[in-house]
Amino acid sequence: MANNGQTETAALVAILGERAAVNVRLALIADGPQWRLHHGQITLDDNAPLKERAWRYGTGSFLELCLPGTTIAALLKGDEQDVQGFHVVSPHPLSSTASVRRLRGQEEWSRLTTPWPRTEWTINRDTSVSQPSHDLLVGDGPSFLNFDQALSAFLYQRPYDHTTNRTDLWRIIQPQRAGWFQKITIGPDLLTVVVDGEGLDGAVLELSWAADNQARPLDGADTHRFALPGGLAHDSLLILRRKDQWLDWRSFPAPAHGRARDASVIWEQPGPELDLLLANGEGQHLECKREVPEGESRKKMLKTIAAFASQDGGTVLIGVRDDLRVVGLPEGVNVDKQILQVVGMIRDNLEPVPSYETRVIDHDGKTVLAIEVSGGGQMHAYRDGQRAEFYVRVGPNTVLARHHEIAAGFQQAPVATTF
């Protein structure tokens, strides 16, 4: 089964029309006496809890409710419908196809993550249609600075982030709970996985790597263990499948700069992992600091983080000397306060704030703080007073970006659009 493709909109209309009821979230823009649909999010899940909500403002409104499948099918076709006192119209022309994407468990896409795999269909709207105003929203609901902030809070309970904006008119989500990984723990010599699901008969759990693989049939939800005499091999793949169809999967690349982690994987082998990160020394993707820096040294570290974020990511290790000797954070320091200090430094000095993760690593009784910075495909500036400075990484050095490097960085940055 392909992970990406196209589905006819008419097929989705038929699926929705056959359902007695559908949970839906609607974002509407006032358009004279009627309300124009700006974004609709449909969940095809009979077990999903529904919390009915209605935020009503003069220029925009947000509804979460359960509607007959025929009503949602009509809206998807572009037919006008009366919904809870709102005369709702869809912008035209509507696309005849929807993009479909199949996602594994714990995979984030457009600000949404679920423990189980899911299938998502999206139908884009015509970007030439007028967009929401940027006026304050004050009315029968929480107050917001503008429509975009209200939409992000309503859908995701998260602050607005222009880098994740999309142009969906409709987003249809269908959970796939036949089989999924509830929890994965990786130790020095053992991988433990908790498998859950509603349709595991005939499924196979397999751990594969370059030199070999282990596979075992399943007959229901259970905990399974794979022996790792030599540790987890690089580029291993853990997959739950039925015949040639995957139900869920995780891959485990070698430790690398800016590696994103998911909540279902618990690593219990931080020592070997740190050794691998240090194997090649400081360079394009690694910077070491003896302790949380002050003064000019702090500026240098922040410039390096900006450079990592502006390119393809990197890791700053605090508690490691320049000669790669692991000395750990100073004794007696409060690690949580050290993390808050670093988070505050990044928030106050880098624009936009990059995507990063802080982790505490215990290495032979010494505590190391890792700042794993993801490359985001856009330039990030170090703010020195009113001046914004851009940096890149050249080998083990952080240097001011040249004009053509800055221009190239902005050209490849994703275009900001509204929901």
Side-chain angles (χ1 to χ4, degrees), residues 280-295:
N280 295 321
E282 286 190 308
Q284 186 78 16
H285 305 113
L286 183 67
E287 177 80 7
C288 298
K289 295 293 182 184
R290 170 66 182 84
E291 56 189 1
V292 175
E294 299 288 345

Side-chain angles (χ1 to χ4, degrees), residues 114-369:
T114 58
W116 43 78
R118 65 191 189 275
T119 301
E120 292 197 13
W121 293 268
T122 55
I123 300 174
N124 287 344
R125 64 176 175 270
D126 185 352
T127 55
S128 65
V129 175
S130 61
Q131 301 302 307
S133 70
H134 290 281
D135 297 335
L136 283 166
L137 291 188
V138 181
D140 186 12
S143 299
F144 291 96
L145 185 62
N146 54 49
F147 186 95
D148 290 333
Q149 291 195 358
L151 180 60
S152 185
F154 189 79
L155 293 180
Y156 311 112
Q157 294 77 54
R158 292 168 63 179
Y160 171 63
D161 182 356
H162 76 276
T163 65
T164 59
N165 288 344
R166 305 188 54 214
T167 57
D168 314 14
L169 178 64
W170 288 102
R171 180 179 189 178
I172 304 171
I173 303 163
Q174 183 173 47
Q176 305 289 347
R177 296 198 185 94
W180 53 287
F181 299 141
Q182 187 181 79
K183 181 180 178 182
I184 301 170
T185 304
I186 300 174
D189 56 4
L190 187 70
L191 184 151
T192 304
V193 55
V194 180
V195 178
D196 201 352
E198 302 167 354
L200 291 170
D201 291 347
V204 174
L205 179 64
E206 180 182 356
L207 178 65
S208 298
W209 62 100
D212 204 350
N213 78 313
Q214 300 180 47
R216 57 191 65 172
L218 307 183
D219 56 8
D222 205 347
T223 299
H224 300 268
R225 296 173 177 84
F226 292 92
L228 306 173
L232 183 68
H234 295 170
D235 297 325
S236 295
L237 174 67
L238 181 68
I239 188 167
L240 181 63
R241 59 178 174 83
R242 183 185 294 109
K243 296 182 179 178
D244 61 348
Q245 304 293 327
W246 65 264
L247 303 178
D248 202 2
W249 60 271
R250 299 288 189 280
S251 63
F252 308 103
H257 57 275
R259 181 181 65 192
R261 293 168 174 264
D262 67 65
S264 68
V265 179
I266 301 172
W267 292 82
E268 294 183 341
Q269 50 174 2
E273 183 183 10
L274 184 59
D275 289 338
L276 286 169
L277 285 172
L278 294 172
N280 295 321
E282 286 190 308
Q284 186 78 16
H285 305 113
L286 183 67
E287 177 80 7
C288 298
K289 295 293 182 184
R290 170 66 182 84
E291 56 189 1
V292 175
E294 299 288 345
E296 287 299 317
S297 183
R298 171 179 294 188
K299 291 182 180 180
K300 290 180 180 179
M301 185 183 78
L302 290 168
K303 293 172 183 179
T304 295
I305 293 174
F308 285 157
S310 296
Q311 294 172 293
D312 53 355
T315 301
V316 177
L317 296 175
I318 301 177
V320 180
R321 298 195 330 187
D322 290 343
D323 61 4
L324 306 184
R325 178 185 170 194
V326 179
V327 294
L329 297 175
E331 291 186 10
V333 303
N334 185 306
V335 177
D336 289 338
K337 288 185 177 179
Q338 297 273 288
I339 293 174
L340 287 175
Q341 185 179 353
V342 170
V343 168
M345 290 160 48
I346 295 173
R347 183 188 63 238
D348 295 341
N349 294 278
L350 301 186
E351 294 182 4
V353 176
S355 174
Y356 70 97
E357 179 180 353
T358 59
R359 288 196 301 115
V360 177
I361 299 175
D362 181 17
H363 183 85
D364 294 335
K366 298 181 176 66
T367 300
V368 174
L369 176 59

